[in-house]
Amino acid sequence: AKRRNVKTIGYQHSVVGTQMYNYSPASNPDGDGSLPDQIVCSGMATFDHLVKWGLSKSKISVGGALRIPEINDYCVNPKGAVFLALPFDYEVSRQMINVARHMVDRGFKFIVGVHPMTPYRFSAQTGIELADKPFYEVEGLSSLVFAATTVGLEAVLAGIPTVRFQPDNMIALNILPDSVFVPTATANTLEAILKQVQPIAAERIKIFSPVSIEAWKEWLAI
């Protein structure tokens, strides 16, 4: 595109978490040269993060969160099911399902949301069912467990008690911004943490900004 003098705009449609170093230009042989002409962030949390990692402020703007829903007044039910938000990774998903199967016998219920691009296939059973809608449309969840998916941050902002799952023998990148901390659980500690996890306070406006249509019109103008 650049060789043909086509203007390039990169939009941060997902998240840039504390461990997602691939968004830094440090590994590019030509530094900023491989980046789009303009980088549009979904909020100031990412803007600040990218600047800290070496991106030039002149390249970055905030355009708002186009795909992250704003969820208000979600009603948590402490006795409700746990929403299990699986990531794109097969092995992490397998471990999360295995933990859920062991916990069903101890009274837990799970609703499983698979990643839309790489849906993990599993056999449903009593106490573990496949979600047919987003977590925020499922009534009366008690909590949400995630690994390496934006759903975890969405749940935090919705006021749902949220736990980050850390698999064995591998890393599931932390997708949360610097300002958001949730309990991290392994297969051995998940049950105990779910019994005491509480929602945390996080300001959406500092992470996902309102969409600026006027700014987008300016960026996309020929």
Side-chain angles (χ1 to χ4, degrees):
K2 288 187 175 183
R3 284 197 298 270
R4 295 177 181 272
N5 295 318
V6 176
K7 180 170 66 174
T8 55
I9 302 173
Y11 175 62
Q12 177 235 332
H13 83 288
S14 183
V15 289
V16 178
T18 56
Q19 297 175 335
M20 301 173 74
Y21 301 118
N22 52 301
Y23 286 106
S24 166
S27 61
N28 294 345
D30 58 353
D32 283 1
S34 295
L35 300 178
D37 299 321
Q38 184 74 30
I39 296 171
V40 182
C41 299
S42 60
M44 282 304 301
T46 299
F47 182 98
D48 293 338
H49 214 131
L50 294 180
V51 170
K52 183 174 69 176
W53 281 349
L55 275 75
S56 171
K57 285 186 177 181
S58 62
K59 274 185 173 286
I60 315 175
S61 303
V62 174
L66 289 167
R67 67 167 277 244
I68 308 297
E70 186 168 357
I71 306 154
N72 298 308
D73 302 322
Y74 186 88
C75 187
V76 172
N77 177 7
K79 296 183 179 180
V82 178
F83 195 95
L84 205 63
L86 303 186
F88 59 87
D89 186 89
Y90 176 93
E91 175 58 20
V92 180
S93 297
R94 185 191 69 80
Q95 291 189 32
M96 293 174 74
I97 290 292
N98 282 348
V99 174
R101 293 198 193 282
H102 285 97
M103 292 174 59
V104 164
D105 292 338
R106 296 191 287 277
F108 284 86
K109 295 175 293 183
F110 293 90
I111 298 175
V112 182
V114 298
H115 195 282
M117 295 181 67
T118 54
Y120 179 80
R121 303 189 187 283
F122 67 96
S123 298
Q125 66 180 71
T126 301
I128 302 179
E129 61 180 88
L130 177 66
D132 59 0
K133 61 185 73 172
F135 77 91
Y136 48 85
E137 293 182 5
V138 179
E139 294 183 3
L141 294 173
S142 64
S143 53
L144 182 143
V145 179
F146 79 101
T149 170
T150 307
V151 174
L153 181 54
E154 295 175 33
V156 169
L157 296 176
I160 297 174
T162 304
V163 178
R164 176 178 167 240
F165 180 78
Q166 179 61 56
D168 291 334
N169 303 319
M170 62 188 303
I171 295 173
L173 290 178
N174 185 5
I175 59 87
L176 299 174
D178 289 335
S179 60
V180 177
F181 301 91
V182 300
T184 299
T186 65
N188 294 328
T189 63
L190 181 59
E191 180 177 352
I193 289 176
L194 282 176
K195 288 179 178 179
Q196 59 185 0
V197 65
Q198 298 292 323
I200 65 169
E203 292 187 63
R204 177 187 171 90
I205 194 68
K206 293 183 178 179
I207 300 170
F208 296 127
S209 300
V211 175
S212 173
I213 297 300
E214 292 305 313
W216 276 102
K217 287 180 180 179
E218 180 180 338
W219 292 322
L220 297 174
I222 298 175

